[in-house]
Amino acid sequence: MRPTGPLHLGHLTGALDNWRRLQEDYECFYCIVDWHALTTDYADTSAIRENVIEVTVDWLAAGLDPGRSTLFIQSLVPQHAELHLLLSMITPVPWLERVPSYKEQQQQLQNRDLSTYGFLGYPLLQTADIIVYRADAVPVGEDQAPHVELTREVVRRFNNFYGPVFPEPKTLLTETPRTPGTDGRKMSKSYDNAILLKDSPSEVKAKLRPMVTDPARKRRTDPGEPDVCPVFDLHKAFSPPETREWVVPGCRQATIGCLDCKGRLAEHMLERLAPIHERRPELAKRPDTVWDILQAGSQRARETAEATMDAVRAAMKIRY
Ligand code: SF4
């Protein structure tokens, strides 16, 4: 995960809930990819350090357990960079140019010059991030699946040249419920439409109150359609079936108002956020402990990554 600052509900439903569950069945490595932040935000790096802490505090509050999983910072494990360099020797440039996010992001982020070497190579750095742990599986949303496919191609090419060092990682496709922000677009810090995990109950309610709804419901007496309403998308992510069954006819027959609907949503959302709200302030007060967790995790990650690099150097006949 990139160090983008405090996390929001989209991160919770799209990644953290799943990551927390995976801890039960897998040996997990969760990495804050500060070098990846540089691929797009290289001109202003002033927020990265603070953002690393914010992300880690949210991870811990959301239930990632440093006793079970390895939580670490990418740049504290230089083996990622060494492997990236070695993989860059064998990866044809067109493989990177055809990754869908390459062109998409260049178009979307037109205020930045993304014609850099680092930006073209970031899916290959991701490949190194994955295979330096000889990972069997990578939990990703659908938009990231092409990156895992690239990883598998690079692994096949490497193993073909130098012998079977890496397993081909599987994609653990995560069902990511649509999590719209308060303006109906995808929830994102850059759109200023996000409900943050650290928002207090009154902030959550204040953000939900003016949230956009089905535009057909201008008045309380106008019937609406939950299927086109972003508030209902949030109900799908946070409310139990009974509440959704209350919303659907109530909205279509105009027997409930949008504020009633949002009020119920706020209740369920806050129930879900309660354990995070309980743990987060304590963690935020102890940044030194959070750094210690990241340092210890990075040490563990370095040991695993170095064992891989030893095998890589031997396979490539550059171990001296
Ligand atoms: S009642 Fe609920 S689902 Fe229907 S338009 Fe209003 S907020 Fe959306």
Side-chain angles (χ1 to χ4, degrees):
M1 190 177 277
R2 287 185 184 214
T4 50
L7 302 183
H8 54 64
L9 297 180
H11 295 109
L12 185 68
T13 55
L16 296 177
D17 280 342
N18 186 40
W19 291 10
R20 192 186 53 244
R21 284 191 293 267
L22 289 171
Q23 297 182 125
E24 312 287 334
D25 301 318
Y26 291 86
E27 182 192 0
C28 299
F29 287 79
Y30 294 127
C31 177
I32 300 187
V33 288
D34 52 345
W35 282 334
H36 282 283
L38 299 178
T39 61
T40 49
D41 296 336
Y42 55 82
D44 180 7
T45 58
S46 56
I48 291 180
R49 190 185 161 87
E50 180 60 29
N51 288 349
V52 166
I53 273 284
E54 290 279 5
V55 168
T56 313
V57 167
D58 280 332
W59 279 8
L60 296 168
L64 297 195
D65 175 0
R68 281 193 292 186
S69 299
T70 302
L71 314 183
F72 67 103
I73 303 177
Q74 183 186 33
S75 68
L76 290 182
V77 188
Q79 287 83 355
H80 290 231
E82 183 185 356
L83 184 56
H84 178 219
L85 174 91
L86 296 176
L87 297 178
S88 76
M89 303 299 170
I90 65 164
T91 304
V93 172
W95 288 15
L96 298 172
E97 286 171 331
R98 70 166 193 244
V99 172
S101 60
Y102 179 59
K103 290 253 152 50
E104 273 163 31
Q105 288 218 25
Q106 277 188 330
Q107 276 160 7
Q108 272 169 24
L109 304 174
Q110 282 191 353
N111 55 345
R112 275 169 257 185
D113 179 4
L114 295 183
S115 58
T116 57
Y117 180 50
F119 184 67
L120 175 66
Y122 96 85
L124 194 62
L125 179 56
Q126 251 182 1
T127 298
D129 298 336
I130 296 166
I131 68 176
V132 82
Y133 301 100
R134 289 188 262 197
D136 301 305
V138 198
V140 289
E142 216 165 330
D143 56 329
Q144 290 283 313
H147 293 196
V148 184
E149 199 38 55
L150 173 78
T151 300
R152 293 158 58 82
E153 275 180 284
V154 172
V155 161
R156 285 196 286 273
R157 193 166 164 91
F158 184 99
N159 289 348
N160 195 30
F161 285 139
Y162 309 114
V165 174
F166 297 110
E168 277 185 44
K170 285 197 304 267
T171 305
L172 285 183
L173 207 57
T174 313
E175 280 282 326
T176 43
R178 202 181 109 75
T179 311
T182 49
D183 61 359
R185 292 186 291 174
K186 186 177 173 191
M187 191 174 284
S188 162
K189 200 178 147 219
S190 50
Y191 294 152
D192 199 20
N193 66 0
I195 297 175
L196 303 177
L197 302 188
K198 70 175 188 178
D199 282 342
S200 66
S202 54
E203 284 169 316
V204 171
K205 287 180 193 160
K207 285 184 176 179
L208 279 179
R209 219 168 288 128
M211 179 161 176
V212 300
T213 61
D214 174 0
R217 284 206 85 181
K218 289 197 183 56
R219 286 176 298 266
R220 170 77 163 71
T221 47
D222 294 332
E225 178 46 62
D227 286 343
V228 299
C229 177
V231 173
F232 194 63
D233 283 326
L234 293 182
H235 272 293
K236 287 187 210 153
F238 292 96
S239 300
E242 311 83 80
T243 300
R244 298 202 297 270
E245 282 156 20
W246 167 80
V247 171
V248 173
C251 176
R252 289 183 180 149
Q253 293 153 25
T255 54
I256 61 167
C258 291
L259 282 178
D260 310 324
C261 182
K262 290 171 178 177
R264 286 277 181 100
L265 172 62
E267 280 168 30
H268 296 304
M269 209 176 253
L270 290 171
E271 270 164 33
R272 175 86 160 276
L273 290 173
I276 297 179
H277 286 162
E278 200 182 307
R279 286 191 285 251
R280 201 184 191 286
E282 242 341 274
L283 291 159
K285 266 192 255 158
R286 294 186 285 127
D288 289 351
T289 310
V290 177
W291 281 116
D292 288 347
I293 288 170
L294 288 171
Q295 288 287 359
S298 301
Q299 172 63 29
R300 278 210 301 278
R302 276 195 299 275
E303 285 161 17
T304 307
E306 181 52 25
T308 302
M309 289 315 298
D310 194 52
V312 167
R313 293 179 209 118
M316 295 181 80
K317 306 199 175 13
I318 52 169
R319 184 169 67 178
Y320 308 113

